[in-house]
Amino acid sequence: MAAMRKTKSFLMLVGRVINEAVSFIVFSVLDLVDFILCFVYKVADFFIEAEWKPCYCSSSKESITGSGKILVSEQGESKIVCLSSTKLQLDEISDTLYTRPSLLSEVSKLSMKEIKKGTVRSTFTVNSTIVEMLQGKIGGQYLHPIPRWSDCDCKFCTSWTSNCKETLFVKTDGPREYKGQEDVLFIHGFISSSAFWTETLFPNFSSAAKSSFRLFAIDLLGFGRSPKPTDSMYTLREHLEMIERSVLEPNKVKSFHIVAHSLGCIIALALAVKHPSSIKSLTLLAPPYYPIPKGEQATQYVMRRVAPRRVWPAIAFGASIACWYEHISRTICLLICKNHRFVEFLTKLITRNRIRTFLLEGFFCHTHNAAWHTLHNIICGTAGKMEKYLDAVRDNLKCDVNVFHGKDDELIPVECSYSVQLKIPRARVKVIEKKDHITVVVGRQKAFARELEEIWRNSSSG
């Protein structure tokens, strides 16, 4: 037995060494490939003209941009009124790795002395055509920029452009008439969609649950059937505001339960901190919480943990490509996401329709811009804030916190859930044997639906 253990340990050591060596070679080559693709896309983006797709809506006299407010006078003169302060700018940057590049470069000409005095108000004339492009209005109609040439422009992926109101796609289930029922918000993870919930849990909830709870499953900004604006940086603030605008405000949601998976857990925690008195329960699946060691830079540490630049396991290799190589991941979107209808057909043909198509929908129907910025601005960009969010949930919220994690999850280790429990002692952690990042729900949806119903009932009775 001792000899077998030594042999096993030796083989594991050899495997790690081989993995390290192969990873070094592979990622060195990928560094060069990504550099070359960077040049290729710069040239392609320069020469391929941007297209605009109209959405017929009523016009208004003003439009808010990332840098200020555009005002159009009756004489047609266009001015930009910049209402900004150093505090607001710092707040915008604090939760992002990438920030929106300002088209209004003239703002930078303001002296620092003027800015330090407080709120700055400046006006300057801008070409009316540029203003119309910034406002997305020509001839009294809003114009939505369709995805870049390397992204899919099929009817499914651009369905949001035909909607006058830029709100998230929301799949609702439960009682048609609101009579004081409780509400539940479902938030999916990275490169996924509302179908992750609606095709698994929604059909398995009991009739009693569907008569007692209104269920809202959203497609996050940039994914599924939700808007995919090309000028968005997909920051945490933007995701939260879209959820409020699309679900909480129109449906008059006052208090609600949250069920979130993976990246969605970060958005769920931020939403709970923003609405502490409204949360009735928090259910987190595979939360990506990595405690930051002293002396480490938070965003870089989380990037190394989420995307370790290893060729094995395969899911870590995929995460490394998505996280470290912007132009290679854009090429993958060009080859797969842009041609997702053909890829879906081919996949169904090869697997004889035995693969769950809703998982393909979530994986294919996004833009590279949305995936790249959401990954960096949510998972990595909020790394330094996660402890504050968890502390706020522990101290300011009285709701139940339940955490589920697949024991075989190779993307986000089980230790992340136990770390959440250390920050929130009342949190209950359940580790599911022989389940991974996806099968923690898919494949056990009936059991999980019953568990959620019990959580909601206990929270309501308490």
Side-chain angles (χ1 to χ4, degrees), residues 70-87:
I70 302 174
L71 303 179
V72 183
S73 66
E74 293 180 357
Q75 293 75 21
E77 182 184 16
S78 305
K79 292 187 177 182
I80 292 178
V81 180
C82 179
L83 301 174
S84 62
S85 67
T86 53
K87 181 179 185 302

Side-chain angles (χ1 to χ4, degrees), residues 115-132:
I115 294 176
K116 289 179 180 178
K117 289 180 181 179
T119 301
V120 179
R121 187 178 183 89
S122 63
T123 62
F124 48 90
T125 302
V126 181
N127 182 280
S128 60
T129 303
I130 296 177
V131 171
E132 288 176 345

